[in-house]
Amino acid sequence: MKMDIYGGRKSIWRIICLFLLFAGWMGLNEGNAQQLTYITFNGDNVSVNGSGVRRDGNFVDLTIGGTQVYVVRGTTTNKTIRCCADNISIRLQGARITGVEAAIKTITIPQTLNLIIDDQNYGDSYLKGAQNWAAVQVDGTSTINVSAFPGTSAAAYFEGGSGGAGIGGGGLYDKNPGNINIISGRVYAISTNAAAAIGGGSDKKVGGLAKKITISGGYVEAKAYNGGAAIGSGHGQMHGNITISGGTVYTQTTAPAGTEPGAGIGGGRYCEQSSSDTYYITISGGRVTGSYIGQGRGSTITGNLIIKGGSVEVTDLNKVTAMNGAGTLVYRVQTDALNAGSNSVQCSYTGSDGTFYTSASNGYFYFWMPQGTSNKVNIGDITGLTVPQVLDNYNNRAPLIFSNGATKYYNLDALSNTGVSNLKLESSIPLYKNITMSNNKTLDLNGKTLARSGTNKLTLSGITLTLPTTNSGELLA
């Protein structure tokens, strides 16, 4: 009997390597666990389990960045967390903090603050700034990244003190915030007096300029009162660079009687100053609803708006003109969501910057397309749909599925409409839902295809369907 010693050695080495990999994985995870520091507030008291925390009266200083993660819990009405190192990471687990200044603020310049929304059964977090302070204050040279811990259902609420943003600049203090990035999570931000909810703070004359705000995912609800933008700059200040590429964004701005509100996305009211720098509001994905877009009411300067993707329901534009990425004027097209439901789906259309993900509002997408008759739209796996002529207004409709003379129909329901007896198919389309026809119809396939899809089918309920052969197409039902 021959023994393959070499093969046996290879097997032993495989076992040893697997063991070392497993041991290394366990060690890494154990190391990560050891790098968690727990900070728990209970009124005036602060308990700390871990390293990298220095207490200084009403201030709790975080002194280690990098792989260190601070888990913050509990309730206090008189503490401020100061980030005293670069690359600080904070996980909010049901934290309820009203700051003596901001609830959380950056002080090391420059730095990156990673704010992670979590719950672990501790619930939502609520952060509030004192007068003239943001709830989370980010100095002009620093960056904040807001995201959700995987699997969390919790939200985070950020309320600025009078003059302060929910996330961003303060009133009088650091009114011009650094970069604000919202990546994921449920984010609710509010400002109560002339600051942006997310962005610039306020002061007695001109509010803070938020030079760079990026929203790429999550659900963001921003509400501003008395002149600041919901997302953008404080009162009297123009908009900076604001980019929305994903997620759902809802804005609301209000003001006392006799005054003007700031923009939902853009600048604060009454902006008269210009800048040598050029800034853009750019929307390329996600869903945007709420208050107007552009410079604030009463402003004398113009801004720049690029819509090259996403669903943008807002039609009230102030001191901006909507263009796509190629610099062509675009106009809103209310587009039936067909079978998309409330899910986020991949879409594109003529003039969009490739594909993007968005979700419908009450059964519709709101895409922005150039004028003309050559536009097409793709919704999920339904592609190449015809768009009727786009005019220079916000009342355009799509996609064109059937026509009956001058009457247009924008989904398959025309087939089951008993008040319609003649239809022309204008787009090749699958049966994305079950359709029952209960009145006699003449259907001109017009060289197009109406095809069965999955288990969906076209049912004729005791009626006659006539298919003219003049413009033959395919009915695969």
Side-chain angles (χ1 to χ4, degrees), residues 134-169:
V136 178
Q137 191 148 319
V138 185
D139 70 84
T141 64
S142 294
T143 296
I144 182 171
N145 300 314
V146 181
S147 64
F149 192 77
T152 188
S153 60
Y157 295 79
F158 305 91
E159 181 178 344
S162 179
I167 302 173

Side-chain angles (χ1 to χ4, degrees), residues 28 119 159 176 329 361 364 410 475:
L28 284 173
D119 57 5
E159 181 178 344
N176 300 316
L329 293 172
S361 301
Y364 296 100
Y410 305 101
L475 176 62

Side-chain angles (χ1 to χ4, degrees), residues 344-348 355-358 378-381:
S344 180
V345 295
Q346 189 177 59
C347 299
S348 63
T355 60
F356 56 87
Y357 282 88
T358 188
N378 306 308
I379 301 172
D381 56 1

Side-chain angles (χ1 to χ4, degrees), residues 35-389:
Q35 291 166 2
L36 292 177
T37 291
Y38 294 87
I39 302 171
T40 303
F41 293 103
N42 184 8
D44 288 337
N45 298 318
V46 184
S47 64
V48 177
N49 182 5
S51 58
V53 178
R54 178 177 64 236
R55 282 170 278 191
D56 180 11
N58 289 327
F59 297 98
V60 177
D61 295 340
L62 311 184
T63 61
I64 300 177
T67 58
Q68 182 85 6
V69 178
Y70 297 93
V71 180
V72 180
R73 301 168 176 165
T75 302
T76 183
T77 58
N78 62 352
K79 295 288 186 288
T80 289
I81 295 175
R82 298 189 297 198
C83 300
C84 303
D86 186 22
N87 201 21
I88 292 284
S89 294
I90 299 174
R91 276 169 58 182
L92 299 173
Q93 292 184 353
R96 291 162 173 81
I97 304 170
T98 299
V100 290
E101 293 178 351
I104 300 173
K105 70 173 187 175
T106 59
I107 65 170
T108 296
I109 300 175
Q111 71 169 254
T112 296
L113 168 60
N114 303 302
L115 193 63
I116 304 159
I117 303 168
D118 195 7
D119 57 5
Q120 302 298 318
N121 299 319
Y122 287 90
D124 298 338
S125 292
Y126 299 82
L127 306 183
K128 184 176 181 179
Q131 183 172 350
N132 289 320
W133 292 91
V136 178
Q137 191 148 319
V138 185
D139 70 84
T141 64
S142 294
T143 296
I144 182 171
N145 300 314
V146 181
S147 64
F149 192 77
T152 188
S153 60
Y157 295 79
F158 305 91
E159 181 178 344
S162 179
I167 302 173
L172 305 181
Y173 310 104
D174 291 325
K175 68 178 183 179
N176 300 316
N179 300 333
I180 301 172
N181 302 317
I182 298 178
I183 301 163
S184 60
R186 293 166 55 211
V187 176
Y188 297 81
I190 185 171
S191 64
T192 58
N193 187 20
I198 299 174
S202 174
D203 69 12
K204 294 179 181 179
K205 293 182 179 180
V206 179
L209 172 62
K211 289 188 176 181
K212 187 176 181 182
I213 299 173
T214 302
I215 299 173
S216 56
Y219 175 82
V220 179
E221 186 172 299
K223 298 179 179 181
Y225 179 72
N226 197 19
I231 300 174
S233 296
H235 81 98
Q237 185 60 264
M238 64 182 167
H239 73 72
N241 288 323
I242 304 170
T243 302
I244 299 173
S245 60
T248 297
V249 176
Y250 171 75
T251 64
Q252 181 183 100
T253 56
T254 55
T259 64
E260 297 285 0
I265 299 172
R269 69 178 178 208
Y270 307 149
C271 178
E272 298 180 353
Q273 62 182 36
S274 59
S275 171
S276 58
D277 296 321
T278 302
Y279 299 106
Y280 293 89
I281 300 169
T282 304
I283 303 172
S284 61
R287 174 160 65 100
V288 177
T289 63
S291 297
Y292 72 94
I293 298 175
Q295 302 292 17
R297 300 276 194 232
S299 297
T300 59
I301 65 170
T302 58
N304 300 286
L305 172 62
I306 296 174
I307 302 178
K308 55 182 181 178
S311 177
V312 183
E313 187 172 355
V314 181
T315 58
D316 188 357
L317 308 180
N318 191 64
K319 294 291 185 178
V320 291
T321 301
M323 296 186 178
N324 61 19
T328 303
L329 293 172
V330 290
Y331 302 91
R332 195 184 79 162
V333 181
Q334 181 177 329
T335 305
D336 195 291
L338 303 181
N339 64 338
S342 59
N343 299 318
S344 180
V345 295
Q346 189 177 59
C347 299
S348 63
Y349 57 80
T350 302
S352 68
D353 190 11
T355 60
F356 56 87
Y357 282 88
T358 188
S359 56
S361 301
N362 298 316
Y364 296 100
F365 301 115
Y366 296 88
F367 299 145
W368 291 65
M369 305 182 195
Q371 281 184 264
T373 58
S374 60
N375 291 301
K376 298 288 184 179
V377 63
N378 306 308
I379 301 172
D381 56 1
I382 304 176
T383 61
L385 297 172
T386 299
V387 177
Q389 182 178 6

